[in-house]
Structure formats: structure tokens, C-alpha cells
Amino acid sequence: MISLPGPLVTNLLRFLFLGLSALAPPSRAQLQLHLPANRLQAVEGGEVVLPAWYTLHGEVSSAQPWEVPFVMWFFKHKEKEDQVLSYINGVTTSKPGVSLVYSMPSRNLSLRLEGLQEKDSGPYSCSVNVQDKQGKSRGYSIKTLELNVLVPPAPPSCRLQGMPRVGANVTLSCQSPRSKPAVQYQWDRQLPSFQTFFAPALDVIRGSLSLTNLSSSMAGVYVCKAHNEVGTAQCNVTLEVSTGPGAAVVAGAVVGTLVGLGLLAGLVLLYHRRGKALEEPANDIKEDAIAPRTLPWPKSSDTISKNGTLSSVTSARALRPPHGPPRPGALTPTPSLSSQALPSPRLPTTDGAHPQPISPIPGGVSSSGLSRMGAVPVMVPAQSQAGSLV
């Protein structure tokens, strides 16, 4: 492909065209350029022909042998004018995808554009200057037409918003990422029975379909069609209406159960620790605990050893029959099993006192009977009549 002239050369060519047309006498300016339309539309990815041809005054036939045309096509994009094709001195230069429909020289200057894109939209200008063999201009003309490249809808995406269960509300959404002009949307239900939706449930601009108070009969395949004047694209979504509790309810029940189990486990652990805390003080030995008080006994009823321990709870006076009635409020000690097992032997005293007679065992139980009952004989020190230990 031959490269196009730079911007400087393009401007020089345009100046040459304008200069030649200015040099031509008004009476000799017989060229007329024809563009059948001021605006054309095409589809992205396709091709389009921009029709253009010229005539000389009174001559509608093909080019004459003496005609030498100079042709240039320009494209203006974002305030910048670019040359897309030129035919000068029998040489054609053009950008990729751009060509003349007819071979030159010809009076038909139609331009073919292939592999169109949306950015190819804009004004295209055709200028022509015709000379004869002697280099004299026979006329000059320039005209412009607008090209609009349309874009069919890109495949849309379908989504379901909400929980599809009986009695709930859901929204079906559909969006096409690219189109020109803007698309409109249509929702249909294909299965199990065909149904077409309209406003207000359907928003044709945003592509949303609102379904309220769902029932089992509303389940099926829903198809969204995005369309404009040059194309259509579609997507679908399957709606399944459940009759059980929603996922949020199930999740809430599971979370509630777990929390309840956690609280129950915490209470059981707290109760167990509290029980152990109450048992530990009861099992500890308190070194500084106060010994329990000894019940008061009459002075003449107990015999205490010198080391402070009770060796025997017996009383000589208790063995003798009382001389009188007991005093009110006085405590009478109960003979222990050891004191009942064997009689207290009496040793001879040094003061010449006669030994006291041994009273029989209270209760009429013999010593052999006590031995069979498991009683242990205990030696009880003798007492003098004064009450001192001997």
C-alpha cells in the first residue's frame, strides 16, 4: 500500500486545487459535483459506498480523452481533517480499507469504506479539479456528506435479584454493554407457556422486569431481547419458585441454634466451676481453726491427765449411789463405753483409807458380755478420797 502524503503535502495539494479553480474563467467553470445524499448510515463491521460523480456543462457522458481529473477525499474527525484518498497524475494513494469504486480516470468518484467502526462516523468531503491536456482548468468543486456508523446491541447479561419463593418479589434485569443507537428491551416467558410483558412491570429503557407476589405458576424460562434499528441480541434466565423458607430464614435458624448451644455450654461450665469452688474449701485443712468447746462437766466427774488429754470419762462419784436429789441445772455425765466395760480397780492408798467397794456394772451387763460386744478394757487411775490421782 502506498503511503499517503504528509499534512504539508496535503495542504499544498488543496492550495493547488483552489488555485486552479480560481484561475479558471467564470465562463469556463462548467464542472458540477453530485452527491445524492447529505447523510448516510452504515453498520459497524460492514462496508459503505459514498456516492459521488461530476459532470461538465452539457456533457453527461463518460470522461473525454482530454480530461485530467484531480480527486481528493477528506475525513474530519475531532476538529482534525485527514486525507483518506487522493488521485493525482494517475497515482492513487489511500488508507487501509479505503478505495475508489471505479478505476480512474472516470467521472464516478464514489468512495468505498470497508471494515467500518464507530469511530469512522463523521463528515467526508470530496473535491475534484478537472484540467485539459494543456493544463487549463475546466472546473473545480467540493461537497460534504455525513456518515453515521451504527452499532448493533452487544450480547446482554441477564440477572435475577431477590429470593424466588412463593409470595416474594423479584426483579429480572437485562443490560447490553454497547449499542448505537441506544437499545430497548423486551421480556418474554418461553416455558412452560409463552407470555409477553409490558409496562409498568417492564421498563423498556432500563431492561428490568418486576415480578410481585410470586407463585409456582410463574416459574419458567424468561428471555430478554435487546434491540435497536440495526440488530438484536438476547439472553435468558430460569426462574424457579421455591415453597420452603428462604435461605435467610434457614440461616437465621442455624445461627440461633448455635448461639443457644453456646449459651447452654457456658452455663454448664459455669455451674461445674462453681461446684468445684464450693467443694475445695470444705476439703481444706484449716490450721488456724478453733477447736470445738468441751461441754462443761462437774469438777468431781472427770479425770484429766497431766498432758491435757481426756484419758477416761469416768467418775467415782457417779458409781456411788447419789445421796440426794440432783441440783437443778446440773449436768450429769454419761459413762462411756470404756468406763462401762470394766470396773475401775482401786489401789491401796497410803493414808490408810479403806478401799471403796466396787459397784456392779450399771445396766446389769457382765464383763464377758461386754467383751463379746467388742468393748476394750481401759485402766482408770485410782483416786483418793480427796479426789486426787494416785
Side-chain angles (χ1 to χ4, degrees):
M1 184 68 68
I2 301 175
S3 60
L4 292 175
L8 179 59
V9 177
T10 302
N11 293 332
L12 291 176
L13 290 174
R14 295 199 68 182
F15 177 77
L16 177 62
F17 271 50
L18 294 174
L20 291 175
S21 61
L23 293 175
S27 60
R28 301 286 301 274
Q30 302 173 359
L31 186 145
Q32 186 175 6
L33 183 62
H34 305 272
L35 273 68
N38 295 329
R39 186 179 182 89
L40 292 177
Q41 289 187 348
V43 179
E44 187 180 54
E47 67 177 44
V48 66
V49 173
L50 307 182
W53 68 89
Y54 72 90
T55 61
L56 295 176
H57 183 69
E59 299 177 359
V60 295
S61 60
S62 60
Q64 300 299 321
W66 56 267
E67 294 180 16
V68 181
F70 292 84
V71 181
M72 297 185 70
W73 279 92
F74 299 93
F75 170 61
K76 189 176 182 179
H77 179 66
K78 294 182 179 179
E79 305 301 328
K80 181 181 179 181
E81 196 172 50
D82 297 329
Q83 179 182 313
V84 296
L85 183 140
S86 68
Y87 175 78
I88 300 175
N89 295 328
V91 179
T92 303
T93 58
S94 64
K95 285 188 174 182
V98 181
S99 62
L100 291 171
V101 177
Y102 298 93
S103 300
M104 299 301 290
S106 173
R107 288 187 177 182
N108 194 316
L109 311 178
S110 299
L111 186 69
R112 176 185 285 113
L113 303 177
E114 298 177 333
L116 289 174
Q117 299 181 6
E118 184 183 2
K119 65 180 182 179
D120 294 331
S121 299
Y124 288 80
S125 300
C126 177
S127 64
V128 58
N129 185 11
V130 178
Q131 298 178 5
D132 56 19
K133 294 293 184 178
Q134 290 75 28
K136 295 181 179 180
S137 176
R138 297 293 302 272
Y140 169 81
S141 181
I142 181 170
K143 285 192 174 181
T144 302
L145 61 81
E146 186 81 16
L147 176 64
N148 185 24
V149 179
L150 304 180
V151 180
S157 60
C158 293
R159 293 185 302 169
L160 171 64
Q161 300 174 350
M163 297 300 299
R165 61 178 183 272
V166 173
N169 302 332
V170 297
T171 300
L172 305 181
S173 62
C174 177
Q175 286 294 323
S176 177
R178 184 169 176 265
S179 67
K180 181 184 176 180
V183 299
Q184 292 189 347
Y185 299 94
Q186 179 63 53
W187 278 96
D188 300 321
R189 184 176 67 166
Q190 302 294 324
L191 296 175
S193 60
F194 182 81
Q195 182 181 3
T196 300
F197 297 93
F198 302 95
L202 173 67
D203 189 334
V204 296
I205 304 300
R206 298 181 179 179
S208 60
L209 175 64
S210 300
L211 302 177
T212 59
N213 194 18
L214 289 179
S215 62
S216 301
S217 61
M218 298 173 67
V221 178
Y222 289 75
V223 178
C224 172
K225 296 180 181 179
H227 60 88
N228 61 9
E229 56 187 272
V230 293
T232 302
Q234 66 181 32
C235 62
N236 62 76
V237 60
T238 302
L239 176 63
E240 297 179 354
V241 181
S242 62
T243 57
V249 177
V250 175
V254 172
V255 173
T257 303
L258 293 178
V259 172
L261 291 176
L263 292 176
L264 181 60
L267 291 176
V268 171
L269 182 61
L270 180 62
Y271 179 78
H272 181 67
R273 290 183 177 180
R274 185 176 180 182
K276 291 183 64 176
L278 293 177
E279 290 179 0
E280 288 177 357
N283 295 331
D284 292 342
I285 298 177
K286 307 274 186 184
E287 293 183 358
D288 56 348
I290 301 175
R293 292 185 177 181
T294 305
L295 294 176
W297 298 91
K299 293 181 179 181
S300 60
S301 61
D302 294 336
T303 304
I304 309 297
S305 64
K306 291 181 179 181
N307 57 5
T309 60
L310 181 62
S311 62
S312 174
V313 186
T314 183
S315 174
R317 293 183 180 180
L319 297 178
R320 292 193 298 268
H323 297 284
R327 291 177 299 174
L331 296 178
T332 304
T334 304
S336 64
L337 181 61
S338 59
S339 65
Q340 296 178 5
L342 293 176
S344 301
R346 296 293 183 178
L347 298 178
T349 60
T350 56
D351 56 356
H354 298 283
Q356 297 294 332
I358 299 174
S359 61
I361 297 173
V365 182
S366 63
S367 59
S368 61
L370 291 175
S371 299
R372 288 192 301 269
M373 295 170 62
V376 179
V378 178
M379 294 295 294
V380 179
Q383 283 184 342
S384 64
Q385 290 183 355
S388 60
L389 296 176
V390 180

